[in-house]
Amino acid sequence: MTTPAPAPLHWKLVIDAADPHAQADFWAAALHYTPEDNSALVERLLSAGALTGEATVEYHGRAAFRDLIAVRHPDDPYDPETGTGLGRRLLFQRVPEPKAGKNRLHLDLHAGPERRADEVTRLQALGARVLREVKEPGGQWVLMADPEGNEFCVQ
């Protein structure tokens, strides 16, 4: 009798941020993702006394956690009671220290050669900046930085 393979682990990418809500807005627009609506959970926690008003902010007209906000792929499932995505998502968490040094992990956005220049222009309009263009035997891409300086590539 064979043992069934363990189920794959669910994961999210967590990104430190000085302003998690601004970062969520940038990345939601950059990836065409949806900011999560955790307002029902926030209201429930406030009503139960498990969360203070100082731990919340208004985000897009609804209650949100002050120090955390996520964006998710619009086609992926989510928990309607909490608003938490159950698929591809990025979670931005407030940290007090500024970004220091090069990322050890980054996103690659795959636009394709025919759309790369248009995507770079669109991302610049959202607040990203070009760090350099790379042409190597293995490929071509544009290294960019988001509004808080986190590097990512557009291929």
Side-chain angles (χ1 to χ4, degrees):
M1 178 182 221
T2 60
T3 305
L9 295 174
H10 176 74
W11 62 273
K12 65 183 167 283
L13 180 61
V14 179
I15 301 171
D16 292 347
D19 185 343
H21 299 88
Q23 284 292 90
D25 284 342
F26 170 82
W27 282 103
L31 298 172
H32 305 289
Y33 271 33
T34 301
E36 290 184 353
D37 178 0
N38 304 120
S39 59
L41 174 61
V42 169
E43 296 294 347
R44 220 172 21 254
L45 292 171
L46 284 168
S47 295
L51 191 67
T52 65
E54 294 81 35
T56 68
V57 294
E58 185 177 303
Y59 176 68
H60 296 287
R62 52 190 189 251
F65 294 106
R66 183 181 85 86
D67 295 328
L68 298 168
I69 186 73
V71 299
R72 64 176 177 79
H73 191 287
D75 296 336
D76 286 353
Y78 66 95
D79 180 343
E81 291 186 26
T82 64
T84 300
L86 303 172
R88 296 162 281 187
R89 62 196 290 253
L90 303 176
L91 175 72
F92 301 92
Q93 69 178 2
R94 186 180 312 279
V95 295
E97 63 277 351
K99 180 184 178 298
K102 184 176 179 343
N103 296 6
R104 294 292 304 256
L105 177 73
H106 69 267
L107 297 177
D108 280 351
L109 309 185
H110 296 265
E114 67 285 344
R115 288 184 37 216
R116 183 182 307 118
D118 289 342
E119 280 300 308
V120 166
T121 300
R122 185 180 73 83
L123 293 164
Q124 285 177 299
L126 294 172
R129 67 185 192 283
V130 172
L131 299 178
R132 73 176 185 271
E133 294 187 25
V134 180
K135 289 184 182 181
E136 295 182 350
Q140 182 176 340
W141 61 90
V142 178
L143 177 62
M144 300 187 76
D146 74 13
E148 288 197 7
N150 299 302
E151 295 93 357
F152 65 97
C153 296
V154 180
Q155 295 184 338

